[in-house]
Amino acid sequence: MGDAETARCPGSGEEVLASAGDLPAERLTTLARRLRTEHPHLRLRYVHVHDLIALAEAGTRPLALPEKAFTEHFGNRAPVILATTGYPADIHALLGTRHPGARLTVLGYRDPGRPLTQAQLLAHCRLDDDSLWQLATHTALHPTEATAS
């Protein structure tokens, strides 16, 4: 992992991309490659979460990361985009008091209420290329305008 908390070039942003699950990992890896190519001065950190319980508040679950390790992975200033195959509300609840607030955007399953193709479902859940690119560039380059979802 790179260090998103170190000094950065003027005019550049910083961001943490976090994935949980195969599909989100594939989508965010593609996004990270594009960001590194098109925004080389962006301070980017990629974290893959193998077990979501690691995100839980320290001391509440046996596998929860200690606060220091959580901060080392997710920083304390950079916007975080976390993509999962689960429900975003579950991630927000799991984080509890260690929730990073408005700098966190969680993307995950949203019930469309009807059958969709895979491409349509990705777009509906904001995991398609265009939605991810717009979100990532907006939150990295305009972090004060980032809002939680």
Side-chain angles (χ1 to χ4, degrees):
M1 284 182 258
D3 186 359
E5 300 305 312
T6 58
R8 55 193 171 104
C9 299
S12 66
E14 55 188 301
E15 190 154 48
V16 177
L17 301 178
S19 61
D22 293 347
L23 179 65
E26 176 188 334
R27 308 306 303 158
L28 290 187
T29 298
T30 300
L31 175 64
R33 285 185 184 127
R34 183 175 176 194
L35 285 168
R36 287 185 172 127
T37 299
E38 296 189 30
H39 294 283
H41 297 294
L42 177 66
R43 304 286 304 168
L44 184 63
R45 179 183 301 177
Y46 184 93
V47 177
H48 181 75
V49 180
H50 178 71
D51 187 340
L52 287 173
I53 296 302
L55 300 177
E57 291 180 68
T60 63
R61 303 277 198 281
L63 298 176
L65 288 172
E67 287 304 319
K68 183 178 179 188
F70 185 86
T71 301
E72 287 173 0
H73 288 359
F74 295 98
N76 56 17
R77 292 189 315 252
V80 177
I81 297 174
L82 191 152
T84 180
T85 54
Y87 292 99
D90 292 344
I91 301 300
H92 289 288
L94 184 63
L95 288 163
T97 60
R98 71 167 32 159
H99 194 292
R103 70 184 185 99
L104 173 67
T105 302
V106 180
L107 303 174
Y109 182 74
R110 296 179 343 167
D111 186 357
R114 66 188 194 296
L116 298 177
T117 66
Q118 183 179 9
Q120 291 171 326
L121 185 59
L122 285 173
H124 179 74
C125 296
R126 297 176 34 200
L127 290 171
D128 62 304
D129 289 341
D130 290 337
S131 297
L132 285 172
W133 180 255
Q134 290 174 1
L135 176 63
T137 55
H138 180 76
T139 58
L141 304 176
H142 309 287
T144 58
E145 299 173 21
T147 58
S149 30

